[in-house]
Amino acid sequence: MLGCLLWSLGGVSWAETGGVVLALSGGGTKGFAHVGVIQVLERAGIPVAGIVGTSMGAIIGGLRASGYDGASLEEVVRGIDLPSLLDDRNASPSATAANKEAQSLLRRTFDSRGRSTGPLGIVEGKRLLFTLHQLTARARVSNFDDLPVPFVAVATDMETGETLLLRRGSLASALRASMSIPGFFEPWPVEGRMALDGGLVANLPVRIAQSVFPGYPVVAVDVSSSLQPASRLRNAVEVFDQSTAIMTRQGYLENLRAADLVIRPDVGDRPMLESGHVAEIVALGRQAADRELPDLLRLAAGAPPVPPRPERVERTVAAVRVEGLSSVTEAFLEHSYAPWIGHPFDAAVVLEACETIQERDDVGVVEYHLEEEGADRVTVVLQVHPAPDVEIRAGGYTSNLAPERWFALEGVRRNFWAEGDILEAELRVGEDWGVGVHYFAPVSGFRRMEYSLEARSESVTPRGVDQTTWDRYVVGVERSFWRGGMEVNWGIVAERVEYGGDTSSSWGPKVAFSWSTLDNSDDPTEGTRFRGNLWWSNLDTLLWTADMLWVRPWGANNRWILSGGVQGGDEKNPAHAAYLGGPGDLFHLASTPWRGERSAWLRLGVRRLLWESVLLGPIYGDLFVVRGALFDEEWDEVASPWEAGLALAVPGKMLGGRVLVVYDDEGNVTFGFELGSDFRRREIIP
């Protein structure tokens, strides 16, 4: 993939012959056929004088305009993992921030006045935007006319219905705006407006191409869908595609007739969003262009020549500006990135900064663009789109393996008391109950104070012991620092535990650490994560936990997963004891776990992708083996259970689950299921 990021114009002829303008239509992944057309033009030595693109046509056209040749374009589209690209869950390596929500059955957002603001689409497009920034990293200009090929992206103003011609600013943002399919992608802010998919006004932008690039013949590449019978419409995206085709039929036909030449790759009734068959779709584009090659050559022969393009100039950073946060935070970040000034612009460094800023609790999405300051100097503008003022999420969990069945409602209020602060509240009902309130006060940049108050009822039925229930009341004050997938917390925590007619009170310092390089904390394909907690109860008893997760790909559809953990507790207090057994370690012990002073477990598994849907997500087959151990205070082994099993896992984009069969060390076979996902429940004490 990195090889595709090279500034590559190899094989393109810029001879003093006539050129053509490309009008590239939308059509979802059928638009990969545009790549094949571009390859034929290059092979024939036909220069491209300009490109106007809509939706996927904007994506392919924008990448071509920024410097990719046909071969590197095909490499890019072959490397696209579309389902992953459209999955916004925990897009940042750090999954600790409050705005990195877990799976939920319901998610609603509101402004500060209580008016609903969404979500306005299934996909926000965080991963998509970041990937577009990566792919367009070499487009170091603010005016798209100055790209290696002049370019225009077409979008639709959501409020007025007007056509938006995006010709400057962030190329990645323009491409994201152009493909904002209503109902699927959230509308995208650009040039002070909320943009929808350009297909609503000009899915085949021939007239626009003629007006922007007068005098050149316009070659339309049409991969838009023809009207299909109802029986062939398989999902909401395809219904939208059909609806758009109906509503824009007249304008589409007018643009079709206005083109000097129309190339129609035979993409048929393929799904609008298809994650496979990329090479085949690109080949269909080549075949269609080859059929029209005589007419292409004729048009080019009678067309004006393409003027030489300006040479690429190395840009030096003149200033850094942050927009969209409080003035104090903006000043802090601008100071943090001031070392960029006076050095050559480095897109990789800027993208890393965008990822880091996006880890903040009050941030939704971060993008950047350049403002030119003379011929070779630029101002880097980091544009922050704030997270919603108010957010409400609902979720739940149920399983036949463990007594944990509950429903949870969580609310988040940002900018509650001051700019940048956050108030969180959670209510959990079910077999156990819990309430919690957390207030986060920003200190500076990536530091904050957390004030917490929790009350919850918990129960467990250890092996050989009757069910034990206790009520826990916790108050805590913590300071935290997080950056680049790492978070460190330290503070003071106090609790009161009531169980069996007894009461215990404890207090002490707490330290927590987490570090992650996982590419997705919910469904990682690669990376590593370490976490640890330590609480010095009453300054005489250490309670601690530590766990790790290691994921590596194996072939195209498989991955190794290694996970494990250790815990040190106090067996005399059931709320502080070390437990072994549950959905997180040994499934077959979930209902009756072992209880002791120390516990450890290690799991090795292989996950294979069985089926994947762009809209519904993946289905996996898992093979795993787990070894556990329980120890007394002297680290003498008390029990050493193990299990091996198979599972069918569905992480899900809204509600995940799995069914499994487990064989354990006692010769028992357990059939189980679990449905749902935990909110990122804050365990103040291990």
Side-chain angles (χ1 to χ4, degrees), residues 107 109 117-125 176-177 179-189 194-196:
R107 177 175 176 261
T109 60
T117 58
L120 302 180
I122 300 173
V123 178
E124 186 175 358
R176 167 64 180 86
M179 62 176 301
S180 299
I181 301 173
F184 187 75
F185 286 108
E186 289 200 3
W188 188 251
M194 297 301 293
L196 295 173

Side-chain angles (χ1 to χ4, degrees), residues 20-44:
V20 299
V21 171
L22 295 179
L24 305 182
S25 81
T29 51
K30 294 180 289 185
F32 293 159
H34 295 317
V35 175
V37 174
I38 291 169
Q39 290 175 341
V40 172
L41 291 175
E42 291 178 358
R43 189 181 66 217

